Amino acid sequence: MEAASPAGPGGREPHAPGSASLLLWIKGRLFTWDILKTIALGQMLSLCICGTAITSQYLAERYKVNTPMLQSFINYCLLFLTYTVMLAFRSGSDNLLYILKKKWWKYILLGLADVEANYLIVRAYQYTTLTSVQLLDCFGIPVLMALSWFILYARYRVIHFIAVAVCLLGVGTMVGADILAGREDNAGNNVLIGDILVLLGASLYAVSNVCEEYIVKKLSRQEFLGMVGLFGTIISGIQLLIVEYKDIASIHWDWKIALLFVAFALCMFCLYSFMPLVIKVTSATSVNLGILTADLYSLFFGLFLFGYKFSGLYILSFTVIMVGFILYCSTPTRTAEPAESSVPPVTSIGIDNLGLKLEESLQETHSAVL
C-alpha cells in the first residue's frame, strides 16, 4: 500500500496547526467584546484629559492665566453639588452624616492626596522640563501596582509586567518624538525640585487611584465622588486663597476666558465621573495604562491649534502603547485571599452557656441509659 500523500485529499496542503492556534488565541484573547469595550472606555478618559490639557494651554499661552488650583476648585465644586448632595438625601449607611461619622478622617486624607497630586504635577512644569514630567509621571504605574499588590491583593502574571514595559517603551518613543520635533524648549530653573514634585505627585495619584478602586468595588461610586467633592472643595479652596489669590485678581475676565474655564471644568467633571465606572469593570492599573495616550491626543490636536510639528514617531508611540494596553487586558489579574492566622481563635462560652452545655450533656446521658 502506498503511503498517504502529506498534501491530503486533492493535493492541497492543510493549514499549519501552529498558525491556526495562534489566530484562534488572538481572536479569543485580544479581540473580545470586553477588551474592545475597555479600550473604548480608556480612550474616552484620555480624550477628557486631552480636553483639560488643551484648555489649560490656551489659558496659559493666549491669555496668560495660570491658575491650576482655581480650575481644580471648580471641578470639586461640581462634584460636591452633584454627588455630595446626592449622599445627603440617602438613608441608612449611605447617608452623608453616617459616612462622615464613621470615616471622616480617611476621606480627609484621600481628598488631600487627590488635591495635592493635581497641584504638584502642574507646579512641576515651572521647575523642570516637559521630558522629565512625561517620563517621571510614569513612576506612578509601578507604585500603583505595588499598592494594589499589598492593599487590594492583586496578583499579576508575567504578561502583565511585559505589557507595562511595552507601554513605557511607547512613552519613551513619544518623548523622543517631542525632542526631535523641538518641543523641549523649557530647560527649567531647578530641575531637581521639579523632578521631586513629579515623583511625589505621581505617587499621590497612585494612592488616590488605589483608594478609588477599593471604594468603588467595595462600597459605591457615589460615596467616593461625594467625599472627594466635599473635602476636595474645602482643601482646594483653602489652598486657593493661600497660593493663587494674586493670580486670580489679575485675570481680565471676558467671555472667552470664562468659556475656557467652563470647558476645563466639564472635561474634568466627566473624567472624575466616568473613571470609577471604568475602574469598576477593570482596575486602576489598567485605566492608568489606557490614559497614557492622552498626551498623544493633545499632540495631535496641537498640530492644528498650536502649530506643533508632526513626527511619524507619534503614530509609532500610539501603536506601541495600545499594544501594551491590549496585552495587559488580555489576561485578567487574580485576587489573592488575605492571609488568615494559623492560630485558632480562642472562644469563651461563659458561665451561663457552660451550665447550659452541662445540662444538655446530662440529658443526652439519661436518654442513652434509657
Side-chain angles (χ1 to χ4, degrees), residues 171-183:
V171 174
T173 307
M174 177 184 64
V175 172
D178 284 344
I179 295 174
L180 293 177
R183 292 191 68 229

Side-chain angles (χ1 to χ4, degrees), residues 52 56 82 84 91 98 110 139 147 173 181 184 201 212 214 236 299 305 318 325:
T52 63
S56 295
T82 304
T84 310
S91 59
Y98 182 88
L110 174 59
F139 176 73
L147 291 174
T173 307
E184 188 55 54
E212 180 175 1
Y214 179 86
S236 63
L299 291 170
L305 299 176
F318 182 85
F325 180 51

Side-chain angles (χ1 to χ4, degrees), residues 43-87:
Q43 298 318 293
M44 181 185 66
L45 297 179
S46 288
L47 288 173
C48 290
I49 297 174
C50 171
T52 63
I54 290 175
T55 52
S56 295
Q57 190 165 354
Y58 253 110
L59 286 169
E61 292 187 1
R62 301 291 174 88
Y63 301 101
K64 307 302 178 185
V65 175
N66 291 286
T67 55
M69 190 55 64
L70 173 60
Q71 293 165 237
S72 296
F73 175 75
I74 297 173
N75 169 57
Y76 289 123
C77 287
L78 290 177
L79 293 176
F80 173 82
L81 293 174
T82 304
Y83 297 103
T84 310
V85 172
M86 189 183 299
L87 290 178

Side-chain angles (χ1 to χ4, degrees), residues 103-151:
K103 296 170 281 190
W104 62 272
W105 63 273
K106 297 179 182 178
Y107 283 116
I108 287 179
L109 295 178
L110 174 59
L112 185 65
D114 196 77
V115 170
E116 298 309 322
N118 289 318
Y119 180 75
L120 290 175
I121 294 293
V122 175
R123 183 60 67 185
Y125 283 100
Q126 297 182 3
Y127 298 99
T128 189
T129 61
L130 175 66
T131 299
S132 294
V133 174
Q134 289 176 325
L135 288 175
L136 295 178
D137 193 29
C138 296
F139 176 73
I141 293 177
V143 173
L144 178 57
M145 294 180 73
L147 291 174
S148 298
W149 181 285
F150 292 107
I151 297 176

Side-chain angles (χ1 to χ4, degrees), residues 291-307:
I291 62 178
L292 288 176
T293 57
D295 286 337
L296 289 167
Y297 287 129
S298 300
L299 291 170
F300 294 147
F301 282 106
L303 295 173
F304 306 99
L305 299 176
F306 304 109

Side-chain angles (χ1 to χ4, degrees), residues 253-270:
W253 290 94
D254 61 18
W255 69 270
K256 294 180 181 179
I257 294 179
L259 186 62
L260 288 172
F261 270 96
V262 171
F264 177 92
L266 289 177
C267 288
M268 192 65 105
F269 179 78
C270 290

